[in-house]
Amino acid sequence: MTAKLYQILESTDLGSEVVSACTLQIHAHVLNTSKYIDQPNFNLIHQSDLELLFDEYDCRFFQGEVRQALGTTPLRFSLSKRMTSAGGKTSRFTNRLSGEQWFEISASTAILFECFEDDHRPIIASGIVCRDRLDALQRIMEHELIHLIELLLWEKSSCSQSRFHSISRRFFGHTQNRHQFITPREKAIVKSGIRPGMTVRFEYEGVVHTGRVNRINKRATVLVEDRRGMRYSDGKHYSKFYIPVEMLEAVGPANGE
Ligand SMILES: [Zn+2]
């Protein structure tokens, strides 16, 4: 069931005009068809939209052969709020008891909704500038689709390997193969200038604390010296606070800068 897909994969090299025409058609089709995505910078998305996108890509770029290659193996779709460092993920699952296998493609709403909000730097995904949120979602699907195809044909997939690069360039014109978008972390850093290592001041339950930013995810982790706190590797004791970055005031530079 994979021979045709393999042959398409080997023999296709789409030029940039074909790629952009096809991806624009998919963009328009999703806007016309989706019950949730009603504008290019949509505020609502449902996991069925991922399936809609997947089938459009499979049809237009692979003659429906990815579905064929899946056979009876289920392909599921999910949206993740917690995935904050990657735009998407493709996984193969096996139920240990029943032996049932399935694939899952997930996309990060945390990343998507951070992008194209108010002022932002140009969003570049896979080496292509994305015009809007739907466009960014398309880059995610293109990337994950290649992961799925590699898993189906070769059991293993890696976007840091040359085979992946060759496929992503020939089908989608990708010139880079990373999962990166603006992450909440990057956004916090760009907007506020707050970086790990900085000394910051913040108010918590009416008390003003001064501490050092340890890391930034959705919130910043700030360590404040406290004799009753946990002992850290520098021998001092700290209490840990999780504070939204916009509530931090920088009072000192990051160490070593
Ligand atoms: Zn990847």
Side-chain angles (χ1 to χ4, degrees), residues 198-204 207-213 222-226 238-239 241 248-252:
M198 270 186 167
T199 303
V200 291
R201 189 159 46 207
F202 63 95
E203 196 184 309
Y204 184 78
V207 180
V208 175
H209 298 271
T210 302
R212 190 170 50 81
V213 177
V222 185
L223 299 179
V224 175
E225 271 199 69
D226 178 357
Y238 297 95
S239 286
F241 292 83
L248 298 175
E249 181 196 348
V251 293

Side-chain angles (χ1 to χ4, degrees), residues 16-218:
S16 58
E17 287 101 76
V18 176
V19 175
S20 66
C22 282
T23 51
L24 277 174
Q25 283 166 13
I26 293 175
H27 191 274
H29 181 84
V30 170
L31 286 175
N32 281 332
T33 322
S34 170
K35 277 189 267 176
Y36 307 91
I37 296 180
D38 57 354
Q39 51 181 316
N41 283 322
F42 56 88
N43 295 307
L44 203 61
I45 180 173
H46 184 263
Q47 64 210 41
S48 61
D49 292 316
L50 298 181
E51 182 151 30
L52 174 63
L53 256 186
F54 170 85
D55 283 319
E56 280 300 303
Y57 271 98
D58 187 22
C59 262
R60 289 172 200 260
F61 287 87
F62 302 98
Q63 301 171 35
E65 287 297 325
V66 184
R67 279 276 182 207
Q68 285 296 321
L70 276 163
T72 56
T73 310
L75 173 61
R76 297 174 186 164
F77 298 91
S78 70
L79 294 167
S80 166
K81 274 186 219 155
R82 282 181 301 171
M83 192 156 60
T84 54
S85 61
K89 192 171 182 210
T90 301
S91 321
R92 175 176 31 215
F93 293 97
T94 307
N95 183 316
R96 276 203 225 138
L97 292 174
S98 64
E100 188 212 359
Q101 283 212 354
W102 71 94
F103 290 95
E104 183 173 299
I105 293 179
S106 52
S108 163
T109 49
I111 299 273
L112 280 168
F113 289 122
E114 283 289 339
C115 294
F116 306 102
E117 211 193 27
D118 52 53
D119 278 356
H120 60 77
R121 66 158 168 82
I123 308 289
I124 298 171
S126 302
I128 296 172
V129 176
C130 301
R131 297 179 308 274
D132 51 54
R133 195 168 280 155
L134 178 52
D135 208 21
L137 178 62
Q138 289 183 251
R139 295 298 91 68
I140 293 175
M141 182 53 75
E142 291 159 7
H143 185 98
E144 300 311 320
L145 190 53
I146 299 172
H147 276 307
L148 177 66
I149 289 170
E150 284 200 325
L151 288 172
L152 287 167
L153 294 182
W154 295 286
E155 299 283 324
K156 285 200 168 108
S157 178
S158 167
C159 52
S160 59
Q161 299 292 313
S162 59
R163 183 179 64 207
F164 191 106
H165 298 173
S166 163
I167 300 170
S168 72
R169 185 190 54 74
R170 288 182 291 114
F171 280 85
F172 303 123
H174 295 181
T175 56
Q176 287 171 12
N177 295 276
R178 286 181 301 153
H179 290 263
Q180 280 169 357
F181 284 91
I182 283 192
T183 60
R185 180 174 179 277
E186 179 189 338
K187 187 172 176 175
I189 292 168
V190 169
K191 267 194 155 175
S192 62
I194 301 285
R195 289 188 302 280
M198 270 186 167
T199 303
V200 291
R201 189 159 46 207
F202 63 95
E203 196 184 309
Y204 184 78
E205 292 179 347
V207 180
V208 175
H209 298 271
T210 302
R212 190 170 50 81
V213 177
N214 198 34
R215 46 185 290 180
I216 300 174
N217 278 318
K218 277 189 175 167

